Amino acid sequence: MGAEHVIIGSGINGLVAGALLALKGDTVTILEREDRAGGCLFTDEATLPGFHHDVMAATWVLFMTSPAGAALGPHLERHGFSYCHTAHPTAVLRPSGEALVLTMDRAENIRRFNALAPGDGDQHARDVGQIEADAPFLFALLGGPLWSWATAKLLFGQVRKRGMRGLAAWMGSALAPARGWLEARYRSPLVQALWAPWVLHTGLTPESTYSAQMGKVIAFALEAAGAPVVKGGSGAAVAAFRALIEAHGGTIRTGADVAAITTDGRRVTGVRLATGETIACRSVLASVAPGQLYDRLLEGVDLPEDRAALPDFRHGRGNFQLHYALDAAPDWATDGLSDVALIHLSDGLDAVSKSSNEAERGMFPETPTICVGQPATLDPSRCPEGKSILWLQIPDAPRVIKGDAAGTIPGRTWDEATREAFADRIEAILKRHIRNFDEIKLARRAYSPADLEAMNINLVGGDPYGGHCGIDQFFLWRPFAHSTNGVGALRGLIHIGASTHPGPGLGGGSGFNAAKRLGA
């Protein structure tokens, strides 16, 4: 048995690459070790029958605005893929009940921000306006193959436009941390609080290098495109990808655990499954974490530079997911939140810094930063009529537990008791903001970082971002300082996924770039 291309892993990057190569007319086989396709794209009746929860990834703005989304969107639509929207993509809700809601109307956002602090709305207009003006250059750097003549030409064009010193100044300003940006440019603590939690969703903290630029990119994207979900859940998106790939002769196999990538000299020849089955191919696209690639799939293969770099590769904070089935829509104690897609519960910039720092040090945050999604508001098909669901993500959970910043959770491993104790802490914060919470709560389901890793071996320690996203392990240097567009010493092997440039998220960038490299 053979194929032109074998793709290991059926997450967003594997699906994007598989779909593009299948559309090109190449024979594609996607191999997934779990019993379902999709990786972090997983919709399940996690709490009660009839309540459909996106267990992990839920918001599709990165895909909708990406080159992969532009190329594949019309094809996926023919297989049932569609978005659900709201005009209010995000908000922040402070412990006092004070809230700020972002709309998809820039003029309205400017008005609201200026009303909180004169000049803050004008600063918002400058920030998102600059991202808009720089979009062709910026998004090519954020998403394109960096070691390429196209990127070299792009940089040369910027030198001609800005001058060498001007380009250096632009690069320098792009490396600023979010704390510096928010404290220097915005006077309202509420506006600062709106944007501070979002940097956690890029695997960074408010003190991280380049987190200001990522915050501005998120502000631009949410205002311009919203925070859409897929109708029927992320699992429905996987079904559309599968239908598209199979319609063009491709195959997705689940329960197919790849044990090794086979080689002949310095070229890949195929893969061998744990069952002993071999599949010959001319290229292998491996959407896996570096540890899986070099310690398991390429065990024994002579790759000295990669093996020397592997011990220095670091994973980031853990992720914690919490899902609720509700008997009715939540009655928020603060007005104006009922149709917001994603609400952060946080007191602001310092609170986000504190919780993320505690998690990075292996502590349960005393007050976690909580992201509350309301998918049933956008897509009522997720649950029975009149009911609702909530999707909670806590992006600052410890991977390895060393202690509790509040001193009340004794557990030091992610066993059931420890998981539920942390869920209780989160629920106590949530219920303060929902008047009818006790009356409408039907069931909850928590997933610890250890649970997430058990569901997907690439989520090492529950890290959903494929590795720490600091500047030393991002862009040109992801996953290693010597990495080059996912290719290396083995011809025919392309490393894709969140651990490679352009990093995590549902944009599908590494899968898109790999497929283009192969002629799609």
Side-chain angles (χ1 to χ4, degrees), residues 107-235:
E108 176 61 16
N109 291 331
I110 292 169
R111 186 194 68 77
R112 291 185 184 190
F113 291 11
N114 275 334
L116 290 168
D120 276 13
D122 302 316
Q123 181 62 45
H124 171 72
R126 286 191 290 273
D127 284 338
V128 295
Q130 191 59 56
I131 296 296
E132 194 169 40
D134 289 338
F137 174 50
L138 176 61
F139 290 115
L141 292 181
L142 289 175
L146 294 178
W147 291 103
S148 66
W149 284 113
T151 299
K153 288 171 62 178
L154 189 72
L155 287 168
F156 180 69
Q158 290 296 309
V159 169
R160 295 182 62 184
K161 176 182 177 181
R162 303 172 190 266
M164 284 292 292
R165 291 184 65 86
L167 181 58
W170 186 93
M171 292 287 187
S173 65
L175 297 178
R179 176 175 287 279
W181 163 52
L182 293 171
E183 289 185 333
R185 296 297 182 175
Y186 291 95
R187 294 171 51 206
S188 167
L190 195 54
V191 175
Q192 294 175 2
L194 178 67
W195 298 125
W198 274 103
V199 301
L200 302 184
H201 298 281
T202 66
L204 302 174
T205 74
E207 285 69 44
S208 298
T209 301
Y210 81 92
S211 58
Q213 190 77 340
M214 298 307 292
K216 295 173 188 178
V217 167
I218 289 169
F220 168 73
L222 290 172
E223 185 179 79
V229 299
V230 172
K231 184 173 180 60
S234 292

Side-chain angles (χ1 to χ4, degrees), residues 58-59 86 88-92 198 222 227 339-344 371-374 378 391:
T59 302
T86 173
H88 299 113
T90 193
V92 66
W198 274 103
L222 290 172
D339 67 342
V340 176
L342 297 165
I343 304 167
H344 283 110
C371 182
V372 182
Q374 303 188 94
L378 284 67
W391 173 97

Side-chain angles (χ1 to χ4, degrees), residues 261 263 265-266 293-295 297-310 480 482 488-491 493:
I261 296 170
T263 63
R266 309 306 289 175
L293 182 59
Y294 296 102
D295 286 341
L297 300 179
L298 293 173
E299 183 181 6
V301 178
D302 183 29
L303 297 166
E305 191 173 20
D306 294 327
R307 296 198 186 283
L310 184 61
F480 307 135
H482 65 272
L490 281 179
R491 295 190 301 278
L493 173 64

Side-chain angles (χ1 to χ4, degrees), residues 254-505:
T254 57
D257 186 13
V258 177
I261 296 170
T262 58
T263 63
D264 182 5
R266 309 306 289 175
R267 166 167 278 289
V268 302
T269 58
V271 299
R272 184 179 72 252
L273 304 189
T275 60
E277 177 188 354
T278 60
I279 303 174
C281 61
R282 65 180 175 88
S283 69
V284 173
L285 285 68
S287 185
V288 298
Q292 287 293 317
L293 182 59
Y294 296 102
D295 286 341
R296 192 167 74 97
L297 300 179
L298 293 173
E299 183 181 6
V301 178
D302 183 29
L303 297 166
E305 191 173 20
D306 294 327
R307 296 198 186 283
L310 184 61
D312 295 322
F313 183 81
R314 313 186 307 286
H315 283 277
R317 297 181 303 276
N319 183 46
F320 191 95
Q321 297 285 155
L322 189 56
H323 300 280
Y324 286 93
L326 303 177
D327 198 38
D331 180 15
W332 292 95
T334 299
D335 292 337
L337 299 176
S338 62
D339 67 342
V340 176
L342 297 165
I343 304 167
H344 283 110
L345 309 184
S346 174
D347 199 28
L349 179 57
D350 288 343
V352 173
S353 292
K354 180 176 182 291
S355 66
S356 58
N357 178 266
E358 288 166 348
E360 290 197 338
R361 291 185 291 114
M363 308 290 283
F364 290 109
E366 180 180 17
T367 306
T369 302
I370 303 169
C371 182
V372 182
Q374 303 188 94
T377 298
L378 284 67
D379 177 14
S381 73
R382 300 291 185 91
C383 53
E385 186 175 357
K387 312 299 183 184
S388 193
I389 58 173
L390 291 178
W391 173 97
L392 274 65
Q393 183 180 64
I394 295 78
D396 48 17
R399 284 194 303 113
V400 178
I401 304 169
K402 298 178 181 178
D404 177 18
T408 62
I409 299 177
R412 295 297 177 265
T413 61
W414 279 113
D415 55 27
E416 181 179 355
T418 301
R419 179 190 68 206
E420 296 306 315
F422 191 50
D424 288 342
R425 176 173 297 176
I426 297 159
E427 184 173 306
I429 296 170
L430 176 67
K431 68 187 294 184
R432 291 178 205 144
H433 295 287
I434 298 175
R435 294 189 185 96
N436 59 342
F437 184 83
D438 288 333
E439 290 75 30
I440 63 174
K441 176 187 170 184
L442 296 175
R444 86 176 184 195
R445 175 77 177 273
Y447 295 86
S448 73
D451 294 328
L452 299 179
E453 183 175 8
M455 295 164 61
N456 185 332
I457 59 172
N458 292 316
L459 305 181
V460 179
D463 170 13
Y465 300 113
H468 177 67
C469 295
I471 189 67
D472 64 302
Q473 202 170 271
F474 215 72
F475 299 113
L476 292 171
W477 310 287
R478 192 165 185 86
F480 307 135
H482 65 272
S483 296
T484 307
N485 297 336
V487 299
L490 281 179
R491 295 190 301 278
L493 173 64
I494 305 179
H495 190 190
I496 64 173
S499 299
T500 68
H501 178 75

